[in-house]
Amino acid sequence: MEILQIVGVALVATFLALIVKEQKPNFAFLLIVFVGCAIFLYLVDQINAIIHMIEQIAVNAKINMMYIETILKVIGIAYIAEFASQITKDAGQGAIASKIELAGKILILAMAIPILTVMIETIIQMIPS
């Protein structure tokens, strides 16, 4: 029932921000950023448990840890870029938000190249000469 706590805090912060926004818009924005970061920090233990579980599954399946680490980094980049983009959009800076999203996509592509290379080499080896 952790989701109820998260939603409760988020809704209270939203209502407070709407009330405060009329008098102090900067303070309302800081409140929203603070609550967003607090929710993220609250979830760090869950994220750690998920990463540990994925690593255990990979070890049991005898998968090269390089691939698992790369996939986890890609997922991390996606979440961090999305989080930063949403905060930037909340601040009214849509152009910067789109650049953050683009940077995240490019970094993901750059990290995926070694995996794509191995996949292509494997497929080429399977094709009869």
Side-chain angles (χ1 to χ4, degrees):
M1 286 299 164
E2 293 172 337
I3 190 66
L4 293 177
Q5 293 173 336
I6 293 169
V7 169
V9 168
L11 288 176
V12 168
T14 301
F15 293 134
L16 284 173
L18 288 173
I19 293 168
V20 172
K21 190 174 189 174
E22 295 174 9
Q23 301 297 320
K24 303 268 184 182
N26 291 339
F27 185 71
F29 173 71
L30 289 175
L31 174 67
I32 295 300
V33 170
F34 174 76
V35 170
C37 291
I39 290 171
F40 180 76
L41 291 174
Y42 180 78
L43 295 173
V44 167
D45 289 336
Q46 296 292 327
I47 294 168
N48 189 29
I50 291 167
I51 291 171
H52 182 69
M53 187 183 321
I54 291 172
E55 287 175 346
Q56 286 300 109
I57 291 170
V59 168
N60 291 341
K62 297 178 181 157
I63 297 173
N64 188 341
M65 287 306 289
M66 181 194 78
Y67 301 129
I68 300 301
E69 289 173 5
T70 302
I71 290 170
L72 290 174
K73 287 177 184 177
V74 164
I75 292 169
I77 290 170
Y79 280 133
I80 291 169
E82 177 69 18
F83 184 73
S85 173
Q86 290 299 324
I87 288 174
T88 309
K89 285 178 185 176
D90 288 344
Q93 300 298 318
I96 295 174
S98 66
K99 303 312 181 276
I100 291 171
E101 291 171 355
L102 176 64
K105 291 172 185 176
I106 290 172
L107 289 172
I108 287 171
L109 180 60
M111 293 197 76
I113 287 175
I115 294 175
L116 291 172
T117 303
V118 170
M119 287 176 55
I120 291 171
E121 289 173 355
T122 303
I123 291 170
I124 289 173
Q125 289 176 355
M126 293 177 146
I127 297 174
S129 300

